[in-house]
């Protein structure tokens, strides 16, 4: 079986908002549709929102080539906040790739607060 390793770094799914507490998920980039039949951004955990946490991480998805199901998530680079990593990983486990296309994918994801500045955000 031929292994294909695809870096989907251009497919950065960003969750952003204004300075306020409201975090809105943007729809995934259209390029994701070329590889995935089911892909949506992780929800921002309420507890992380209350703590004003944000971060960017990289996640490796292991995909069952025969059916496209994501079978494993490995955190390559943590967001620095475990609850954010867990939320992202749980969502990515629900993604589904097109069958017979991918073995693995590396996906960056960022929870960010646009316009916010401060050392209280890690």
């Amino acid at each position: 079986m031929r292994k294909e390793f695809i870096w989907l770094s251009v497919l950065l799914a960003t969750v952003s908002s204004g300075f306020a507490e409201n975090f809105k998920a943007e729809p995934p980039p259209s390029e994701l549709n070329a590889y995935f039949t089911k892909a949506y951004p992780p929800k921002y955990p309420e507890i992380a929102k209350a703590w004003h946490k944000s971060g960017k991480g990289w996640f490796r998805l292991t995909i069952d080539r025969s059916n496209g199901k994501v079978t494993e998530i490995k955190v390559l680079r943590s967001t620095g906040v475990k609850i954010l990593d867990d939320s992202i990983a749980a969502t990515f486990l629900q993604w589904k790739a097109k069958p017979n296309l991918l073995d693995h994918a590396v996906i960056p994801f960022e929870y960010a607060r646009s316009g916010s500045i401060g050392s209280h955000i890690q």
Side-chain angles (χ1 to χ4, degrees):
M1 175 173 16
R2 189 179 116 204
K3 286 192 173 186
E4 291 184 30
F5 189 78
I6 303 229
W7 284 86
L8 299 175
S9 60
V10 295
L11 305 177
L12 178 61
T14 302
V15 174
S16 62
S17 75
F19 197 80
E21 305 170 354
N22 299 331
F23 284 75
K24 282 191 334 189
E26 296 177 358
S30 60
E31 293 88 359
L32 277 177
N33 294 332
Y35 300 100
F36 291 90
T37 59
K38 184 178 176 186
Y40 46 88
K43 293 182 181 176
Y44 192 80
E46 289 297 321
I47 191 93
K49 185 189 302 184
W51 293 342
H52 305 286
K53 297 296 183 181
S54 63
K56 178 180 180 179
W58 288 78
F59 302 84
R60 181 175 187 229
L61 287 62
T62 301
I63 301 165
D64 182 332
R65 190 176 182 87
S66 66
N67 61 19
K69 183 178 178 181
V70 176
T71 59
E72 181 184 20
I73 304 295
K74 181 174 182 183
V75 179
L76 298 177
R77 179 177 177 217
S78 173
T79 62
V81 182
K82 183 167 178 8
I83 195 166
L84 296 181
D85 291 344
D86 291 346
S87 174
I88 294 166
T91 300
F92 285 167
L93 276 172
Q94 297 174 29
W95 282 23
K96 186 170 182 182
K98 293 181 179 179
N100 302 311
L101 188 60
L102 300 174
D103 291 321
H104 299 85
V106 173
I107 308 283
F109 192 86
E110 180 175 15
Y111 285 108
R113 291 174 48 113
S114 61
S116 64
I117 301 172
S119 60
H120 67 284
I121 297 176
Q122 297 179 0

